[in-house]
Amino acid sequence: MVNSTEIEVVFFFQKGLYLNKQHEYVAAIASYDVVLKLQPDYPDAWYNRGNALYRLGRYQEAIDSYDQALEYEPGFSEAWNNRGSALDDMQRYEDAIASYDQAIKFKPNYCWAWYNRGIALRNLNRFEAAINSYDRAIEFKPDYYWAWYNRALALKQLGKLNQVVASYDKAVECKPDFEEAWTNRGNALYHLGHLEPAITSYNKALRLRPDNPNTLYNKACCYALQGKYELAFESLQRAVELNPHEYREIAKTNSDFDGLRGDERFAALINGCT
């Protein structure tokens, strides 16, 4: 027979879950506190309380709550993972990695822990290790476009531009409307000297976000290097319209535009005379 305390525990726990979903985190914590007063050894209540605290940016309190969950359930992989995320947000990257390692120890195919571990490793400039971690995440979830994207960012730091492009290719294959991936793919192609494919990539990005001055500026650089000065000027002009201070200044000294420097319109544009 279910007693009144058990009914109360279930009620307040479910209420906490509902409040979390409604983003009413303070109220959710109060609900979990009622549960834990009645049943202190309830790991799911400690875990979800930690999640609410994390959402409020109260990271140390969240860690303390996850620690309580883990005291009662040491193999609680989700608690280890979210504890790692809180540590990561506190820039305690080594501690975060140790927490992700525990999540993976108990759940080796835990894609999110592998991915988050890669983020922490990249924050420590341990790029090879980060790539290996992203690879494991992808192994368990091949369509996880953020893993492909961040893998490309780590590869870029190692100067492996062909692999960078290949990783962005997978990101946009999984998520065709991934504007940031199309833009960064274009940047990698530009640095490889593959100007026409870079422009194609920038165009894909601009269809998704037409007012991105950085993409327009980089597209202008490609056109200028191709000697397509009219197209270069049009893209540069639009970038300057969207962000006059930044793109006037960098265009002044960018050698990509040397072929345009004799054009009066270019001089007027970068000197703010238009």
Side-chain angles (χ1 to χ4, degrees):
M1 183 176 179
V2 178
N3 62 41
S4 60
T5 299
E6 290 172 328
I7 292 170
E8 204 171 356
V9 165
V10 171
F11 172 78
F12 280 101
F13 180 75
Q14 292 298 325
K15 182 181 178 183
L17 294 179
Y18 172 79
L19 290 165
N20 257 359
K21 287 180 181 177
Q22 299 301 310
H23 310 296
E24 296 181 26
Y25 301 119
V26 173
I29 292 163
S31 199
Y32 294 128
D33 284 344
V34 174
V35 173
L36 293 164
K37 185 176 180 181
L38 296 166
Q39 187 179 330
D41 62 346
Y42 194 168
D44 281 348
W46 285 112
Y47 167 72
N48 283 289
R49 182 178 182 272
N51 291 343
L53 287 160
Y54 177 83
R55 293 295 183 185
L56 291 169
R58 293 159 61 179
Y59 300 127
Q60 186 56 57
E61 291 175 81
I63 292 164
D64 293 341
S65 206
Y66 294 135
D67 284 345
Q68 287 293 321
L70 292 162
E71 181 178 330
Y72 296 113
E73 189 178 335
F76 198 158
S77 290
E78 290 77 10
W80 283 115
N81 178 65
N82 291 11
R83 181 179 183 273
S85 294
L87 288 161
D88 195 280
D89 284 333
M90 295 173 74
Q91 300 184 353
R92 291 170 57 185
Y93 302 125
E94 294 286 3
D95 292 334
I97 292 164
S99 204
Y100 297 134
D101 285 344
Q102 286 296 312
I104 292 161
K105 172 185 170 183
F106 292 107
K107 191 175 179 182
N109 63 346
Y110 195 178
C111 135
W112 310 117
W114 282 112
Y115 170 74
N116 289 330
R117 184 175 180 272
I119 297 291
L121 286 161
R122 188 162 66 85
N123 284 331
L124 289 169
N125 297 327
R126 292 165 58 185
F127 301 116
E128 288 282 6
I131 292 162
N132 291 336
S133 209
Y134 295 136
D135 284 344
R136 295 306 304 276
I138 291 162
E139 178 184 341
F140 299 117
K141 189 171 174 56
D143 62 347
Y144 189 37
Y145 51 88
W146 279 114
W148 286 111
Y149 178 84
N150 281 285
R151 182 178 183 272
L153 295 179
L155 285 162
K156 179 186 175 186
Q157 294 297 320
L158 298 174
K160 299 180 178 181
L161 292 180
N162 285 307
Q163 292 181 52
V164 168
V165 174
S167 207
Y168 285 133
D169 284 344
K170 295 298 292 186
V172 296
E173 179 185 318
C174 298
K175 185 175 172 60
D177 63 347
F178 197 169
E179 180 257 331
E180 297 96 327
W182 283 115
T183 296
N184 286 348
R185 180 180 181 272
N187 294 343
L189 288 162
Y190 161 84
H191 286 294
L192 284 166
H194 301 163
L195 300 178
E196 199 58 43
I199 290 166
T200 299
S201 204
Y202 291 139
N203 284 338
K204 293 272 192 180
L206 288 165
R207 287 192 194 102
L208 296 163
R209 186 182 163 195
D211 61 347
N212 187 336
N214 182 60
T215 308
L216 287 159
Y217 178 84
N218 291 339
K219 184 180 171 185
C221 293
C222 291
Y223 278 137
L225 289 170
Q226 289 181 321
K228 298 177 180 178
Y229 298 126
E230 197 64 37
L231 292 171
F233 181 79
E234 288 174 10
S235 287
L236 180 61
Q237 183 178 41
R238 181 62 182 143
V240 169
E241 287 171 359
L242 291 165
N243 190 335
H245 178 71
E246 181 174 353
Y247 292 102
R248 276 192 181 121
E249 287 305 309
I250 59 176
K252 283 179 182 178
T253 56
N254 188 340
S255 62
D256 290 353
F257 296 117
D258 285 353
L260 266 170
R261 297 199 187 279
D263 189 318
E264 292 180 358
R265 296 175 305 162
F266 177 80
L269 180 65
I270 63 171
N271 291 309
C273 302
T274 57

